[in-house]
Amino acid sequence: MTARPHVVLSAAQSLDGYLDDASSTRLLLSNEDDFAEVDRLRAESDAILVGAGTVRADNPRLLVRSAELRRERLAAGRPEQPIKVTVTTSGKLDPASRFFTAGDTTKLVYAPPMVADELRDLATLVDAGTPPELGRILDDLGARGVRRLLVEGGGAVHTQFLAAGLADELRLAIAPITVGDPRAPRFLGTGAVPRPLRLSEVRQLGDVAVLHYRVAAEPSALDVLRLRQAIALADECPPSSTFRVGAVIAAPDGTVLATGHSGEGDPRNHAEEAALAKLSPDDPRLATATMYSSLEPCSARASHPRSCTQLILATAIPRVVMAWREPSLFVEAEGVEQLTAAGRQVIEVPALAADVRRANTHLPGVRP
Ligand SMILES: NC(=O)c1ccc[n+]([C@@H]2O[C@H](COP(=O)([O-])OP(=O)(O)OC[C@H]3O[C@@H](n4cnc5c(N)ncnc54)[C@H](OP(=O)(O)O)[C@@H]3O)[C@@H](O)[C@H]2O)c1
Ligand SMILES: [Zn+2]
């Protein structure tokens, strides 16, 4: 099975949480700088998805506006425009919508069989169940080579992606406007978000506040087992003044490929480094392996030219699971940021952080 795309949600809302007012004209909740950033998000994506409600209400073009960004896409060997995607149960989409008429790019409509047959000449109709299931839509997009999907609303679609735990990031622009009308569409409807959201960035673009969230990935039961094993390995560390850390590198089925602990081999060695030293950096098994570390991999160190984050990035290891984010005792820790920026998945299990702190109470300021 091919991988599902990385899903980025983008929305603009009023201060009181509405996506639009209740009138038939679209409420402007954005400014030029914000539009330009969303245009860049579009240009970085392989496909853009909106719900049928948004196609009907806003009649959006869903194209990259900037000529420069389109040139950059072409220069990188990508199609000039991302694929356009919509989803409907009713099939009620106007063939004259800009979704179908604007731009020479692939248009995908996920709809139950038969309901949208009059659109057959304008778009590729795909059956993903009745009603269409988001998981099947993501599987199909992945099989079509879509690695990054931008979801631009509306509220029903955003709510479903978040409630199903299928969104990876959320970019939310908040305008200093109140709508105050319960008939207007809300950014999120009913349904709780099962996965924790982490605020990763806050910026100001004129009067618009831009919040960026990452949706935390869930560890599996096997992840928790291997992470506990890594935490227990810290007991093997020689008495030392620095962090006592354990690391386990394991295959997707849980097979342990290597283990390590701080001070193993050389008193200055870190746990991840000691574990990695037991494997060749181009061992093919690393391409699907997970690095379990009781502590966030270091991003700068005085005693060694390469940080554990750099050592991990020198391999193909796609995931890192850790219990405790490094407190900034010695240097400012940026392991999680550097790994995520390089496209590696980082899963934090804060529920196990107390066990790691307990092994490190010899350090100043660390309490169990
Ligand atoms: N401010 C912003 O960032 C922003 C962005 C986008 C939209 N908007 C606003 O949001 C409003 C539209 O939001 P909305 O919540 O009404 O509509 P929406 O989320 O765009 O679309 C909802 C429709 O999509 C289809 N749909 C959604 N999930 C589906 C599924 N799993 N399977 C099959 N079909 C599915 C259904 O279409 P059928 O009814 O055809 O079955 C449903 O009625 C508009 O007022 C628009 O201006 C604002
Ligand atoms: Zn390290």
Side-chain angles (χ1 to χ4, degrees):
M1 201 174 82
T2 49
R4 287 179 174 176
H6 183 84
V7 176
V8 181
L9 309 185
S10 169
Q13 68 158 45
S14 64
L15 203 52
D16 50 350
Y18 291 99
L19 287 179
D20 196 357
D21 59 21
S23 77
S24 59
T25 53
R26 183 167 187 184
L27 175 68
L28 192 67
L29 288 165
S30 190
N31 56 30
E32 266 313 305
D33 288 344
D34 183 54
F35 272 133
E37 280 198 14
V38 174
D39 203 38
R40 180 164 284 282
L41 276 184
R42 286 184 178 182
E44 287 167 356
S45 304
D46 301 306
I48 306 170
L49 181 150
V50 293
T54 297
V55 174
R56 290 190 290 260
D58 295 351
N59 192 16
R61 250 176 275 271
L62 302 180
L63 297 172
V64 176
R65 280 191 314 176
S66 151
E68 192 188 329
L69 291 174
R70 281 184 270 135
R71 271 197 301 276
E72 279 177 20
R73 284 180 61 98
L74 288 170
R78 306 172 71 197
E80 185 174 8
Q81 292 288 351
I83 295 171
K84 297 195 219 180
V85 185
T86 191
V87 51
T88 176
T89 306
S90 70
K92 290 196 182 101
L93 289 168
D94 183 352
S97 314
R98 293 191 189 117
F99 179 90
F100 299 109
T101 59
D104 179 19
T105 181
T106 305
K107 292 129 198 169
L108 299 174
V109 177
Y110 290 91
M114 322 286 274
V115 302
D117 274 354
E118 70 283 8
L119 302 172
R120 193 161 293 282
D121 296 337
L122 301 171
T124 304
L125 306 184
V126 188
D127 176 14
T130 306
E133 290 165 38
L134 293 188
R136 283 180 61 181
I137 293 174
L138 292 181
D139 286 339
D140 183 75
L141 289 171
R144 289 172 194 275
V146 173
R147 295 282 150 267
R148 196 176 163 90
L149 174 69
L150 181 65
V151 177
E152 291 201 40
V157 162
H158 282 318
T159 303
Q160 286 183 49
F161 269 97
L162 285 168
L166 292 172
D168 298 296
E169 293 179 43
L170 164 64
R171 179 194 189 274
L172 183 63
I174 302 179
I177 295 171
T178 51
V179 172
D181 183 345
R183 292 170 304 165
R186 281 200 172 273
F187 165 46
L188 293 179
T190 49
V193 180
R195 287 160 64 185
L197 294 163
R198 302 255 153 69
L199 182 64
S200 58
E201 202 179 36
V202 177
R203 278 173 312 116
Q204 179 173 2
L205 294 177
D207 262 352
V208 173
V210 180
L211 307 186
H212 195 248
Y213 296 87
R214 287 186 185 279
V215 187
E218 296 278 22
S220 68
L222 193 57
D223 285 333
V224 172
L225 196 72
R226 287 286 163 266
L227 185 58
R228 282 189 194 282
Q229 184 182 352
I231 292 170
L233 277 167
D235 290 344
E236 321 264 315
C237 300
S240 84
S241 58
T242 52
F243 286 107
R244 295 164 65 85
V245 182
V248 171
I249 303 172
D253 66 358
T255 306
V256 174
L257 306 177
T259 64
H261 56 79
S262 328
E264 185 179 349
D266 181 307
R268 290 166 308 177
N269 274 352
H270 287 188
E272 303 93 313
E273 174 179 39
L276 283 168
K278 295 171 187 168
L279 300 167
S280 156
D282 45 20
D283 186 322
R285 295 172 300 171
L286 290 177
T288 53
T290 298
M291 167 69 82
Y292 298 90
S293 179
S294 56
L295 182 72
E296 171 180 10
C298 64
S299 55
R301 49 195 284 204
S303 60
H304 197 286
R306 292 218 285 173
S307 67
C308 290
T309 295
Q310 285 171 315
L311 293 171
I312 293 168
L313 290 177
T315 73
I317 292 178
R319 306 169 79 225
V320 175
V321 178
M322 55 174 241
W324 191 33
R325 259 209 203 221
E326 184 175 343
S328 298
L329 296 183
F330 304 113
V331 286
E332 205 54 52
E334 289 176 353
V336 172
E337 284 72 18
Q338 290 180 12
L339 289 162
T340 320
R344 312 293 169 104
Q345 185 183 44
V346 180
I347 300 180
E348 289 180 63
V349 189
L352 297 183
D355 295 345
V356 186
R357 284 197 297 272
R358 214 167 287 127
N360 285 282
T361 45
H362 59 290
L363 296 172
V366 176
R367 287 186 194 21

